[in-house]
Amino acid sequence: ASGPGGVLRLAFAALTENLDIWSLPIEPSQGKVVGELKRLTQDAAADFHPALSRDGGRMVFISARSGSQEVWIKDLRTGEDFVLTATRTPKYAPRFSPDGSKVAFAEAEQWNTYLVPSAGGAPEIVCQGCGQPTGWSSDGKRILANAPAGRLWLLELASRRKTDLFPQSRQWLCCGRFSPDDAWIIFWDGTLGRSYIARFQDESPLEESGWIAMGGNGGWSPDGQLVFYGSSQDGYLCIWAQRLDPATKRPIAQPFAVFHSHNARISLANQNDWTLAIGPDKMLFNMGELTGNIWMAEWKQQ
């Protein structure tokens, strides 16, 4: 706007977004919250893609606090954390092996899948172009991974053989996770914007006719009787749960809300990519904190 004496004024908003990881105590077989929400990371850098060890005692995640997106591990009992990688290429989707001895992750240059000892060591490529590892089988012999092109791979670690589980599908698929008994897979259909459950049949293609429609992108409870997922069905992105038939894994009863995220400043919705990790006594997820101010600049025309 023009002011008196040739002064020009410009008003603008400056927004800042920061991602941190939060922990919510739950009784996972019931989908019941049993404690207070707790913030696990509080630095100025982005912290995201959390995953839990099977016993719930450690968290592996991605953090940019060292200047690049690296894999970090945090002991949730002592609060101590350390960086696991230092190659300065962006990393994504770290996941503990079932016995906690290894971590799988993806790097974003060639979208190769890596394994690294969780105590520290040199990362090893186990699949070229497989992308983000999203699920381990309970025996630690197989990994589910997805590439940016929307293909969902099954990787046999011993032979390094990869199999497209949905070779006939034209959908954009990702985020596969084994059920606790390895009999089922839940995965996300990015084309239709919903998740599905399909019976796992080793390396056989999973035919679309057998997919069971679910809600948003999420994961299993440790007993396999519930699926937790994100949904905007109440107008906000919140965490919901759906109870399943034990034999068929088809939804029974109505989904119910587990955690409401209706805050404008700190919210599940204040981010582009969120991950839900379910453990024996807690769930982890990242939320974005959005802050902003309005500024005024003035200068005089010459």
Side-chain angles (χ1 to χ4, degrees):
S2 298
V7 172
L8 296 178
R9 294 189 178 95
L10 176 67
F12 60 93
L15 299 177
T16 301
E17 181 186 83
N18 186 40
L19 295 179
D20 278 307
I21 298 171
W22 299 72
S23 174
L24 185 67
I26 61 168
E27 204 295 298
S29 64
Q30 300 299 319
K32 181 180 179 181
V33 176
V34 295
E36 297 296 321
L37 185 67
K38 179 181 179 182
R39 193 173 196 157
L40 297 181
T41 61
Q42 301 193 40
D43 54 274
D47 302 299
F48 57 98
H49 283 187
L52 283 164
S53 58
R54 177 168 285 186
D55 64 1
R58 292 183 295 164
M59 172 181 74
V60 63
F61 62 105
I62 300 296
S63 178
R65 66 186 67 175
S66 64
S68 59
Q69 289 179 196
E70 302 293 347
V71 179
W72 287 71
I73 290 181
K74 185 179 186 71
D75 189 313
L76 298 180
R77 299 182 179 93
T78 66
E80 296 179 354
D81 53 23
F82 66 94
V83 64
L84 194 61
T85 62
T87 57
R88 306 196 68 81
T89 58
K91 318 293 189 307
Y92 293 96
R95 295 289 186 274
F96 280 112
S97 60
D99 64 3
S101 66
K102 297 181 179 65
V103 170
F105 67 92
E107 55 80 30
E109 286 191 344
Q110 304 296 324
W111 288 106
N112 297 325
T113 305
Y114 286 79
L115 283 185
V116 60
S118 60
E124 172 193 7
I125 295 178
V126 292
C127 187
Q128 294 184 338
C130 280
Q132 299 183 91
T134 55
W136 286 77
S137 61
S138 61
D139 59 8
K141 295 180 179 180
R142 296 166 169 172
I143 287 177
L144 295 172
N146 62 268
R151 308 315 302 166
L152 204 157
W153 301 101
L154 174 70
L155 172 63
E156 291 278 354
L157 290 175
S159 64
R160 301 293 196 261
R161 183 174 64 252
K162 68 176 184 179
T163 303
D164 188 344
L165 291 178
F166 303 92
Q168 304 301 320
S169 177
R170 297 183 179 180
Q171 310 295 84
W172 193 96
L173 305 177
C174 79
C175 313
R177 299 189 187 187
F178 286 103
S179 61
D181 62 1
D182 297 331
W184 304 82
I185 291 175
I186 189 170
F187 58 95
W188 174 249
D189 183 339
T191 304
L192 298 179
R194 67 184 311 164
S195 63
Y196 290 89
I197 293 175
R199 184 179 287 279
F200 178 59
Q201 305 175 72
D202 293 322
E203 297 179 359
S204 301
L206 304 183
E207 300 295 337
E208 194 166 344
S209 59
W211 298 3
I212 302 168
M214 296 295 300
N217 187 15
W220 305 89
S221 63
D223 63 3
Q225 304 303 306
L226 283 175
V227 166
F228 296 88
Y229 61 92
S231 173
S232 300
Q233 63 192 74
D234 66 351
Y236 300 85
L237 180 57
C238 302
I239 298 175
W240 293 71
Q242 173 67 64
R243 190 163 295 281
L244 306 175
D245 181 276
T248 67
K249 297 306 179 191
R250 294 190 176 276
I252 55 176
Q254 292 296 313
F256 58 93
V258 177
F259 172 73
H260 285 294
S261 179
H262 296 180
N263 188 292
R265 176 168 176 165
I266 302 177
S267 173
L268 291 168
N270 291 344
Q271 56 184 317
N272 295 321
D273 182 18
W274 74 287
T275 301
L276 184 62
I278 311 297
D281 59 358
K282 66 178 75 70
M283 65 167 58
L284 305 184
F285 45 86
N286 44 283
M287 292 197 291
E289 182 173 11
L290 190 63
T291 58
N293 287 291
I294 297 174
W295 296 78
M296 176 78 77
E298 290 188 357
W299 68 95
K300 190 172 182 178
Q301 285 183 315
Q302 299 297 323

